């Protein structure tokens, strides 16, 4: 398989670059700029992309790289900081630009293999304060803007190209064409990264590894573990045991939905542990959010591993880890934090034949494609993210059976109305929160003093920042009306109109 290396110099769009390459059916992987050149040589990449980064190449604490990478005979494309880095490594000059360029800028492109099928004038996305003020003699300028004479340059003989703009973002009109040209005209990739062949190859590999032995997977019903389950089921059928811990803190009927999606459709042993009572007993009287999270986490751990101990067998342990969980970033510690968050801790007394992570090469959108191809229901593949502690973080304060089911009822009405009106996929996440606040109301001739429910909905690309989503008023009116009529104990509905930051998506 052809491979492209995205060498990470700490820019914010680095995962996006790899995703765009893969959208063009070429496999891309990301390595930090601290990777030894010998490792890079061994991997036989068809091309290398230097990413952007927040630094100035003249600052010696900025990320740099061994200059010989430009003489390996492997084509290189530098983007933004990566572009300046190439200029500097090759003996050109980089300085503070008289005019910084941010946002959409008109580019004038010249003839180059990198700009095939790109018009002479087009809009690109720029974000830089330094620029190339002088190119080395071996390079030729292939594009300019009003304020940037060397907005792109090439050394055709060496196969080295550099662009000051960001081809990976959609604001760059012909950005994908530029990447396509690099991959196919310059690196001569074949375009052999496809989900069908990924599935085929992975199934073969899983069979070779697992042979006639067993494999255990913790299934949460989220996209990643569901797709991992479907893939493993295809590979080894009944040798797979999925353990689904239902802590009774899922949305209404979701436990049954997950069970139905797997139990009768995919060949496997499916174990559902209904632990609501045990969880609630441990959570009794606890209202501190961090304490609740800790209890839910450790109870989950107990329930899951006790079941595995009961099975008392030697098996492989599988997880739905995906590529962004594994990337070691050019910025340092960011990835380590995520790894801890996403990988399940295994207790010392349980031994496995090995850990299997069949999705560790895939980005989320690729995981979804695989899920669709394996025949998982659309509603599972496109499921909204759901926090590990479930409704435990949406029932503010103490969690009781009654409060969980009150929230489930209200939340089910919101979901129902959003689905009926075709809004199920128009927002990144929507849900109800029970803040534990009682307010005065009037129903018939009676004064009431009942619970308040909050509607929360967001749109976001990465959940690091989010906008509050604008659900149409008529849907909100219907939801409010139905909740106050159908959910006994709720007399008021409010709508959260806060973005992230300063708020977070969840309320706890
Ligand atoms: P916040 O509330 O941090 O949420 O803005 C961002 C995204 O993460 C989800 N979330 C969690 N997911 N365990 C998880 O697995 C958690 O403890 C947790 N807290 C928040 C949240 O639903 C949103 O998608």
């Amino acid at each position: 398989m052809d491979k492209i290396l995205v060498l990470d110099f700490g820019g914010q769009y680095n995962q996006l670059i790899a995703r765009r390459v893969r959208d063009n059916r070429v496999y891309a992987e990301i390595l930090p700029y601290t990777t030894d050149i010998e490792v890079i040589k061994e991997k036989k990449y068809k091309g290398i992309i230097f990413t952007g980064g927040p630094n100035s190449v003249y600052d010696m604490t900025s990320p740099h790289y061994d200059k010989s990478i430009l003489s390996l005979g492997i084509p290189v494309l530098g983007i933004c900081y990566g572009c300046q880095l190439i200029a500097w490594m090759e003996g050109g000059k980089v300085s503070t630009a008289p005019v910084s360029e941010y946002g959409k800028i008109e580019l004038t492109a010249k003839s180059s293999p990198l700009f095939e099928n790109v018009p002479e004038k087009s809009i690109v996305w720029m974000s830089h304060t330094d620029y190339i003020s002088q190119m080395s003699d071996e390079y030729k300028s292939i594009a300019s803007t009003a304020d940037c004479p060397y907005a792109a340059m090439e050394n055709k003989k060496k196969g080295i190209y550099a662009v000051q703009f960001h081809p990976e973002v959609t604001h760059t009109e012909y950005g994908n064409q530029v990447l396509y040209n690099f991959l196919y005209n310059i690196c001569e990739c074949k375009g052999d990264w496809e989900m069908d062949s990924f599935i085929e190859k992975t199934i073969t590999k899983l069979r070779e590894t697992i042979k006639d032995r067993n494999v255990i997977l913790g299934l949460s019903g989220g996209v990643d573990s569901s797709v991992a389950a479907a893939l493993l089921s295809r590979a080894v059928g009944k040798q797979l045991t999925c353990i689904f811990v239902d802590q009774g803190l899922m949305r209404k009927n979701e436990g049954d939905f997950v069970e139905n999606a797997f139990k009768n459709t995919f060949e496997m042993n499916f174990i559902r542990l209904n632990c609501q009572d045990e969880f609630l007993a441990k959570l009794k009287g606890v209202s501190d959010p961090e304490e609740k999270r800790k209890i839910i986490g450790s109870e989950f751990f107990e329930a899951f591993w006790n079941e595995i101990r009961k099975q008392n067998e030697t098996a492989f342990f599988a997880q739905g880890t995906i590529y962004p969980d594994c990337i070691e970033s050019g910025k340092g510690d960011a990835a380590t934090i995520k790894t801890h968050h996403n990988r399940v801790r295994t207790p010392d007394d349980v031994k496995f034949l090995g850990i299997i992570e069949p999705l560790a090469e895939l980005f989320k959108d690729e995981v979804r494609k695989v899920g669709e191809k394996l025949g998982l229901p659309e509603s599972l593949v496109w499921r909204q993210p759901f926090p590990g502690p479930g409704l435990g973080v949406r029932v503010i304060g103490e969690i009781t059976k009654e409060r969980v089911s009150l929230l489930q009822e209200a939340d089910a009405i919101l979901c129902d109305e959003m689905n009926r009106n075709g809004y199920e996929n128009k927002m990144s996440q929507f849900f109800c929160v029970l803040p534990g606040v009682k307010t005065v109301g009037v129903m018939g001739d009676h004064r009431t003093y009942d619970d308040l429910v909050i509607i929360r909905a967001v749109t976001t690309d990465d959940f690091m920042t989010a906008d509050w989503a604008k659900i149409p008023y008529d849907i909100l009116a219907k939801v409010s009306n139905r909740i106050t009529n159908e959910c006994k104990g709720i007399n008021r509905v409010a709508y959260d109109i806060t973005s992230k930051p300063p708020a977070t998506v969840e309320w706890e």
Side-chain angles (χ1 to χ4, degrees), residues 393-412:
V393 293
R394 295 181 185 167
V395 171
I396 312 302
E398 188 183 358
I399 305 167
T400 63
K401 198 168 193 154
E402 294 70 37
R403 295 179 66 67
V404 170
S405 76
L406 190 60
L407 176 59
Q408 281 175 330
E409 292 306 321
D411 184 71

Side-chain angles (χ1 to χ4, degrees), residues 179-426:
L179 288 175
Y180 178 95
N181 291 340
F182 178 67
L183 298 171
Y184 289 93
N185 298 352
I186 297 161
C187 302
E188 297 177 347
C189 292
K190 293 187 292 291
D192 52 5
W193 175 246
E194 287 172 75
M195 287 308 106
D196 282 319
S197 55
F198 168 83
I199 293 173
E200 233 172 83
K201 269 188 248 161
T202 308
I203 288 176
T204 310
K205 223 161 62 187
L206 287 169
R207 286 183 183 147
E208 281 167 10
T209 310
I210 301 168
K211 300 197 174 81
D212 59 348
R213 294 167 293 181
N214 292 330
V215 54
I216 294 178
L217 173 85
L219 185 66
S220 69
V223 183
D224 306 340
S225 64
S226 296
V227 174
L231 203 50
L232 282 156
S233 162
R234 278 282 185 86
V236 295
K238 281 278 183 199
Q239 287 161 250
L240 169 67
T241 298
C242 288
I243 300 178
F244 170 47
V245 180
D246 184 352
Q247 341 94 308
L249 295 172
M250 298 186 84
R251 302 176 103 157
K252 190 179 175 186
N253 298 332
E254 275 201 331
D256 296 341
F257 167 71
V258 172
E259 182 169 349
N260 290 336
F262 288 99
K263 212 166 174 180
N264 304 316
T265 324
F266 287 90
E267 205 189 342
M268 63 169 69
N269 303 302
F270 186 94
I271 299 175
R272 175 173 175 178
L273 303 174
N274 289 313
C275 315
Q276 193 188 40
D277 292 342
E278 290 91 320
F279 273 71
L280 290 178
K282 283 275 163 54
L283 287 163
K284 197 167 167 21
V286 182
S287 53
D288 177 69
E290 279 314 302
E291 192 62 17
K292 281 162 50 177
R293 265 172 207 267
K294 256 193 237 150
I295 293 174
I296 296 171
S298 61
E299 273 301 294
F300 175 88
F301 191 76
E302 281 287 300
F304 182 70
W305 291 104
N306 280 342
E307 181 61 31
I308 289 180
R309 287 188 189 99
K310 255 198 268 168
Q311 306 264 321
N312 194 25
E313 60 184 339
T314 319
F316 287 93
F317 180 57
Q319 304 200 69
T321 317
I322 67 170
Y323 191 50
D325 303 333
C326 312
I327 300 170
E328 194 189 328
S329 109
K331 273 191 217 139
D333 57 2
T336 347
I337 294 160
K338 277 205 111 189
T339 309
H340 285 297
H341 183 75
N342 288 299
R343 285 188 170 143
V344 176
R345 200 159 45 93
T346 54
D348 295 338
D349 67 311
V350 183
K351 298 278 173 264
F352 288 106
L353 298 172
I355 308 265
I356 293 178
E357 295 176 322
L359 307 176
E361 283 178 343
L362 303 189
F363 283 111
K364 193 83 167 187
D365 43 353
E366 294 171 322
V367 173
R368 291 203 162 103
K369 272 187 215 154
V370 169
E372 280 174 345
K373 285 185 185 290
L374 291 170
L376 283 171
E378 204 178 297
S379 43
L380 202 68
V381 171
W382 290 97
R383 212 177 150 204
Q384 292 179 20
F386 189 64
L391 298 186
V393 293
R394 295 181 185 167
V395 171
I396 312 302
E398 188 183 358
I399 305 167
T400 63
K401 198 168 193 154
E402 294 70 37
R403 295 179 66 67
V404 170
S405 76
L406 190 60
L407 176 59
Q408 281 175 330
E409 292 306 321
D411 184 71
I413 291 172
L414 172 68
C415 293
D416 183 42
E417 288 301 327
M418 292 292 270
N419 292 353
R420 272 174 206 251
N421 288 284
Y423 270 77
E424 67 270 42
N425 295 327
K426 290 202 177 137

